[in-house]
Amino acid sequence: MSRRHPDCHGNLNNTPLKSAEANCCLLFKLFGLLVFLNATLSCPSSCICPNNSSLVQCHSLSLQDILDNVPHGVQNLSITHSNITVLQASAFRNLNNLTSLVLSHDNLQVIEAMAFLDLPNLTTLDLSFNTLSYLADDAFAGLSHLQVLKLNQALLEPNQILNSPWTQHLQNLKTLELAGNDLQTFPMAVKDLKNLQILHLGNNSIQRLNEPEISVLRSKKIRLYFSPNPIFCDCHIKEMVYWFQNTSQTLDAQQLKCFGPPNLNSSLVMGLRGDHLKCSNEDLETASYVFFGIVLALIGVIFLMVLYLNRKGIKRWMNNFREACRDQMEGYHYRYEQDSDPRRSNASTGI
Ligand SMILES: *[C@@H]1O[C@H](CO)[C@@H](O)[C@H](O)[C@H]1NC(C)=O
Ligand SMILES: *[C@@H]1O[C@H](CO)[C@@H](O)[C@H](O)[C@H]1NC(C)=O
Ligand SMILES: *[C@@H]1O[C@H](CO)[C@@H](O)[C@H](O)[C@H]1NC(C)=O
Ligand SMILES: *[C@@H]1O[C@H](CO)[C@@H](O)[C@H](O)[C@H]1NC(C)=O
Ligand SMILES: *[C@@H]1O[C@H](CO)[C@@H](O)[C@H](O)[C@H]1NC(C)=O
Ligand SMILES: *[C@@H]1O[C@H](CO)[C@@H](O)[C@H](O)[C@H]1NC(C)=O
Ligand SMILES: *[C@@H]1O[C@H](CO)[C@@H](O)[C@H](O)[C@H]1NC(C)=O
Ligand SMILES: *[C@@H]1O[C@H](CO)[C@@H](O)[C@H](O)[C@H]1NC(C)=O
Ligand SMILES: *[C@@H]1O[C@H](CO)[C@@H](O)[C@H](O)[C@H]1NC(C)=O
């Protein structure tokens, strides 16, 4: 090999020898190819690739740097503590064997439509510990084999995100984790996940489960993790408590505690009986119904009394009315007879 450093444009310092130049160039190109192959097969710098690159773990690197260098056969890829911010359409390419993708603590805020389109074998996706404020309706398009989706402490705008039809592409999803998202209500979007089996809703701000939500959980036999949540223990949670006490679908309901009203604060929800569960305005409501009934009865009585006292006047009025009716009927009868003749003559001329 030449000691001098040649480049492929023929600018050797020696007198140019055509064949030597060609060999040199070929060698150089081969070297380049080797470097390229090495890059695609080996571990990206700042990543750890134990066990033959089936698992790649990266920290604090730009997504593009990682994806340019990650081995194409990778099965488990974990990119954490990076600053990804926006996941664009088809963000991941040529990773057909990827089954598990972890993108947590990545300051992820926006996931655009078709972001995971080229990951046909993905079964686990962990997007926990991010600040997602926008999730495109088709963000999960192509993830028809996804079984586990983790979104713990990941949603900055939980209500907006959970009301969009992002569930439509996840027809094989079995486990959904939504802990620590400050959800105020049960995420009804889960009723569209046909195969959902396990739902994590702990550490949110849900005060109770209502009847329609319980029937979704019951009919789909979804197993629920629900603790802790700030349960408000009034008459509205009776359904929920009965269900908890009857079902084996709630896996941690034993630990649920009341956060109000003050006299039940910190009581165990499962320990409550129906007569513990009162609404402060429940008595008021019954009282107002009773009051309303009495008023109605009074009005009825007064009406009857007026009728009774006025019975003579009413009789006179009825007679007047009957007479007026009779006059009216007679007038009508007379007019009918007058009208019927010309009509008959019209009909006969028509034939
Ligand atoms: C290495 O990967 C193979 C599958 O690719 C797996 O069976 C094995 O358990 C892994 N070993 C370690 C130490 O992770
Ligand atoms: C990689 O795989 C080969 C065989 O496929 C095996 O001999 C070697 O020990 C593996 N290396 C690591 C780091 O697991
Ligand atoms: C993907 O996995 C299959 C089977 O395990 C293997 O034959 C193929 O080479 C892998 N693809 C890549 C790009 O490594
Ligand atoms: C993360 O990336 C965004 C835009 O890509 C940038 O504005 C922001 O300063 C970055 N944050 C950090 C901590 O690097
Ligand atoms: C990945 O999916 C393709 C088709 O979508 C399939 O042919 C291939 O075998 C899968 N690879 C693995 C490792 O499952
Ligand atoms: C790869 O991810 C799967 C989940 O898809 C998990 O079961 C497996 O343990 C992971 N393997 C490694 C080596 O981390
Ligand atoms: C519960 O979620 C909040 C954010 O909503 C988080 O700050 C807190 O650490 C979480 N607690 C646990 C025990 O995970
Ligand atoms: C089970 O539910 C029914 C109504 O659905 C309720 O009457 C009954 O008390 C519940 N059983 C227990 C043990 O709570
Ligand atoms: C309920 O109890 C907790 C401690 O168990 C306390 O921190 C909280 O202030 C109490 N809330 C009310 C409204 O009494």
Side-chain angles (χ1 to χ4, degrees):
M1 208 203 242
S2 166
R3 276 184 198 153
R4 272 172 252 259
H5 197 78
D7 62 24
C8 281
H9 305 291
N11 293 334
L12 288 170
N13 292 344
N14 281 1
T15 34
L17 276 167
K18 277 228 158 163
S19 59
E21 191 191 327
N23 280 342
C24 224
C25 209
L26 190 66
L27 269 174
F28 192 67
K29 280 180 177 165
L30 267 174
F31 178 71
L33 187 66
L34 259 174
V35 167
F36 173 75
L37 276 177
N38 209 29
T40 56
L41 290 175
S42 77
C43 199
S45 58
S46 302
C47 294
I48 309 165
C49 307
N51 197 2
N52 280 341
S53 307
S54 70
L55 171 68
V56 177
Q57 290 170 310
C58 310
H59 303 274
S60 305
L61 239 147
S62 97
L63 183 64
Q64 210 46 56
D65 285 349
I66 294 167
L67 295 179
D68 285 347
N69 295 309
V70 83
H72 290 167
V74 64
Q75 291 170 1
N76 291 25
L77 175 61
S78 157
I79 304 169
T80 60
H81 298 95
S82 302
N83 185 22
I84 295 178
T85 325
V86 179
L87 265 192
Q88 290 166 340
S90 298
F92 305 89
R93 291 171 190 273
N94 304 318
L95 302 176
N96 286 336
N97 285 0
L98 195 65
T99 57
S100 161
L101 176 61
V102 178
L103 299 171
S104 60
H105 295 285
D106 281 337
N107 192 25
L108 201 50
Q109 294 165 16
V110 172
I111 300 184
E112 295 183 351
M114 320 288 171
F116 305 100
L117 198 59
D118 303 318
L119 300 173
N121 292 312
L122 200 66
T123 56
T124 300
L125 177 59
D126 188 348
L127 299 170
S128 297
F129 305 104
N130 283 298
T131 48
L132 284 171
S133 54
Y134 177 72
L135 195 60
D137 290 353
D138 291 322
F140 297 127
L143 293 182
S144 56
H145 291 110
L146 196 71
Q147 295 180 8
V148 179
L149 176 60
K150 300 185 185 185
L151 287 165
N152 302 313
Q153 296 184 43
L155 308 179
L156 205 62
E157 306 274 354
N159 293 326
Q160 188 188 326
I161 288 176
L162 294 175
N163 283 330
S164 77
W166 58 277
T167 49
Q168 62 190 325
H169 299 288
L170 301 174
Q171 292 308 312
N172 265 308
L173 198 69
K174 295 188 168 70
T175 302
L176 177 60
E177 299 189 5
L178 287 170
N181 283 307
D182 198 23
L183 299 184
Q184 311 286 322
T185 56
F186 180 85
M188 261 310 207
V190 304
K191 74 174 191 303
D192 301 325
L193 295 167
K194 277 198 208 112
N195 285 299
L196 195 67
Q197 292 170 2
I198 301 176
L199 178 60
H200 290 252
L201 287 180
N203 195 18
N204 279 295
S205 304
I206 304 175
Q207 294 196 328
R208 63 167 178 266
L209 297 176
N210 297 310
E211 177 61 36
E213 301 156 356
I214 293 171
S215 33
V216 167
L217 291 165
R218 192 187 271 147
S219 66
K220 297 171 81 74
K221 298 190 169 62
I222 296 169
R223 285 188 287 154
L224 178 68
Y225 291 87
F226 196 49
S227 179
N229 266 294
I231 306 299
F232 194 82
C233 295
D234 64 5
C235 63
H236 300 299
I237 70 161
K238 280 181 185 168
E239 275 309 320
M240 184 182 83
V241 174
Y242 289 150
W243 183 59
F244 284 172
Q245 289 171 345
N246 272 344
T247 186
S248 55
Q249 281 172 249
T250 52
L251 300 163
D252 58 2
Q254 303 287 351
Q255 291 145 39
L256 272 182
K257 285 182 182 167
C258 303
F259 269 54
N263 64 323
L264 289 178
N265 188 16
S266 303
S267 307
L268 286 173
V269 171
M270 289 283 262
L272 297 173
R273 289 197 317 268
D275 54 351
H276 290 140
L277 300 170
K278 295 201 171 77
C279 286
S280 51
N281 55 357
E282 200 179 22
D283 297 340
L284 203 70
E285 254 170 46
T286 345
S288 67
Y289 280 130
V290 170
F291 181 73
F292 187 62
I294 290 173
V295 168
L296 267 187
L298 268 176
I299 290 174
V301 166
I302 291 171
F303 184 70
L304 286 177
M305 269 174 69
V306 167
L307 281 186
Y308 178 73
L309 291 175
N310 248 336
R311 59 190 184 283
K312 281 186 188 142
I314 287 172
K315 198 178 273 174
R316 199 163 49 235
W317 180 79
M318 286 289 278
N319 284 336
N320 288 347
F321 182 71
R322 204 181 303 141
E323 266 163 34
C325 266
R326 201 187 300 134
D327 291 351
Q328 194 70 26
M329 289 300 280
E330 272 167 8
Y332 179 74
H333 199 67
Y334 174 71
R335 232 178 296 137
Y336 175 76
E337 277 176 356
Q338 285 229 317
D339 286 355
S340 55
D341 280 341
R343 235 189 289 153
R344 226 176 279 144
S345 58
N346 270 354
S348 57
T349 48
I351 289 170

